[in-house]
Amino acid sequence: MELFGMTTLLHIDASARPGSSDTTAYGSHTRRLTARFVRQWVATQPGAKVIYRDVGMEPPPPVSGRWIHAAFTPEPAREAWMKEVLRVSDMLVGELLEADLIVAGVPMYNFGPPAQFKAYIDNIVRVGRTFGFDRSRAGDPYWPLLADAGKRLVILSSRGDHGYAEGQRLSDRNHVEASVRTAFAYIGVTDTHSLAVEYDEFGDRRLADSISQAEAAVDELVVALIRP
């Protein structure tokens, strides 16, 4: 982590719901949590820089055959069309490389992350940029390029049902945090934290309580991450 007040925070929202659930009817709980985190962070560290990326409203293009061809072509040999195919990916990777802390709002859609966020992951897991590959390398030919960068990841999620945490009744169906952690660990970001709102589809007092608990947990997490 950089000096107090000098961090760069990458704020990512992946919800298909516009607006925040505290200000918009049927708004997003994850947008609510990420916005709260960023407000608290900036209030405590007024010198912090925030980069915002809304992949829920503006999804990155999915990986295609042309994208793969371009990404695995050494940069000096890339043709003009390859550079254009990788333009968005290069931008997203650049944002990630600049960030000290990534705060991602990733709701659960059918037990996993939204397709929009999966597209984001596919665009930032880049050979030569965020992971290395050498088929002649002894042992594992892949290695993370961000392992020594000191980056941290916060995953703020929401779920329609309840009981998805480790050891609970639906933990085996939760493929959100595990898949996001796996992808980021692959490129070298292993310091991760997560919390979630549950009971969204119930819409009763349990949802309200879960939101309150998640907001309190966000506040505590900000303090914990800032503390030396």
Side-chain angles (χ1 to χ4, degrees):
M1 179 176 174
E2 295 189 8
L3 295 176
F4 182 86
M6 297 297 290
T7 54
T8 296
L9 186 154
L10 174 57
H11 172 187
I12 305 169
D13 280 325
S15 176
R17 294 183 180 185
S20 171
S21 63
D22 56 343
T23 59
T24 305
Y26 309 109
S28 165
H29 300 311
T30 58
R31 290 180 185 275
R32 177 174 183 166
L33 295 182
T34 60
R36 185 182 185 93
F37 187 104
V38 173
R39 283 197 306 270
Q40 300 282 12
W41 188 271
V42 172
T44 307
Q45 298 201 86
K49 177 180 177 179
V50 178
I51 302 169
Y52 184 59
R53 175 62 53 186
D54 191 338
V55 301
M57 297 294 104
E58 297 182 9
V63 164
S64 64
R66 286 165 61 85
W67 189 100
I68 295 169
H69 185 177
F72 279 86
T73 298
E75 187 170 359
R78 284 180 192 149
E79 301 175 22
W81 71 264
M82 295 179 176
K83 295 177 182 178
E84 178 58 26
V85 166
L86 295 175
R87 181 179 57 80
V88 172
S89 176
D90 284 337
M91 178 175 60
L92 298 178
V93 170
E95 293 173 350
L96 176 64
L97 295 179
E98 185 177 354
D100 304 296
L101 175 65
I102 304 101
V103 178
V106 188
M108 175 182 285
Y109 289 177
N110 300 315
F111 310 108
Q116 299 95 315
F117 193 77
K118 180 60 167 64
Y120 174 81
I121 291 292
D122 291 342
N123 273 275
I124 63 163
V125 178
R126 280 277 303 278
V127 63
R129 299 294 307 278
T130 57
F131 76 92
F133 171 69
D134 182 353
R135 60 174 56 90
S136 67
R137 185 171 181 254
D140 191 349
Y142 303 91
W143 68 94
L145 294 181
L146 307 186
D148 298 321
K151 298 183 186 297
R152 297 181 290 180
L153 170 67
V154 173
I155 306 165
L156 303 178
S157 191
S158 63
R159 305 152 186 166
D161 202 346
H162 65 97
Y164 285 99
E166 185 175 355
Q168 295 183 351
R169 67 186 185 94
L170 297 176
S171 60
D172 62 325
R173 303 182 190 182
N174 181 2
H175 304 292
V176 176
E177 287 88 348
S179 66
V180 176
R181 286 195 188 103
T182 296
F184 273 88
Y186 182 73
I187 62 177
V189 182
T190 58
D191 186 349
T192 63
H193 309 264
S194 61
L195 58 95
V197 169
E198 295 195 315
Y199 296 100
D200 179 52
E201 292 176 0
F202 294 79
D204 54 19
R205 170 48 57 184
R206 289 173 293 179
L207 171 60
D209 290 344
S210 184
I211 291 173
S212 295
Q213 292 164 12
E215 288 182 326
V218 163
D219 297 347
E220 293 172 2
L221 182 57
V222 169
V223 172
L225 291 176
I226 289 175
R227 185 182 297 124

